[in-house]
Amino acid sequence: MRSAWPRGVGLYGILGMLLVVAGGFLPWITHGTQSINAWGLEALPILPWFRSAGGPPIGPFLLVVLVLLVPYVTRRPLPAVVRLLVAAIAFNLAGGVIVTILHAGAGASLGIGVLLTLAGSVLVVVGDGGAAREARMADG
C-alpha cells in the first residue's frame, strides 16, 4: 500500500511546519500587558555579530518552512539537507530571541510563539524519520 505522505515529509514534519508558522503569529516576547510577535521583531539585532537596530522582521524568514509543501506538488522527495536548513533557520531565530531575552532580562518574558517555533523546528527535523520509516515499510 502506498503511503499518503510524500517521501521525505512525514506527519511530524508537517506538524512542525504548522507550529513554526503559527508560532510566528503568536507572542514571542511579553512585557506586562504588551507583547510582540515575530512579525514585529527585527531579525538582525539578534545576530551576535550585528548589534545595530534595523533590518527585516523575523516573520518572513519563518515562512521558508513552507518549502516542506513542495513534495506534495512535485511528488518528489525533499532532500534531507533542505529540511535541515529550513529547520535551522527557524531554530536559530527562535533560539537567538530566547538567548537575547534571557540575557537582557529587564522584565520581559518569553511568549508561547517563540517556544512553539522552537518545538516546530525540532519536529521538522525529526519528522523525516517517520516518513522514511513509512516509505521503507510501504516498499516492502
Side-chain angles (χ1 to χ4, degrees):
M1 187 171 147
R2 189 171 167 96
S3 173
W5 300 103
R7 290 182 185 209
V9 180
L11 178 61
Y12 292 126
I14 295 300
L15 179 61
M17 177 196 69
L18 293 173
L19 286 176
V20 168
V21 172
F25 291 99
L26 294 171
W28 275 40
I29 300 172
T30 60
H31 188 279
T33 60
Q34 296 182 334
S35 64
I36 190 166
N37 64 18
W39 293 86
L41 287 173
E42 296 170 348
L44 294 180
I46 66 168
L47 300 174
W49 61 86
F50 194 93
R51 288 289 178 205
S52 67
I58 292 174
F61 291 106
L62 297 179
L63 295 180
V64 171
V65 78
L66 294 175
V67 78
L68 295 176
L69 294 175
V70 168
Y72 288 98
V73 176
T74 63
R75 293 291 180 202
R76 300 187 130 194
L78 200 60
V81 69
V82 173
R83 289 186 309 277
L84 187 60
L85 288 173
V86 164
I89 291 169
F91 187 87
N92 287 332
L93 288 171
V97 169
I98 290 171
V99 168
T100 301
I101 292 303
L102 293 178
H103 187 290
S109 60
L110 299 174
I112 189 70
V114 71
L115 300 175
L116 285 178
T117 300
L118 195 66
S121 65
V122 171
L123 279 177
V124 166
V125 174
V126 173
D128 174 54
R133 188 171 39 258
E134 289 172 13
R136 280 194 304 272
M137 291 171 57
D139 289 343

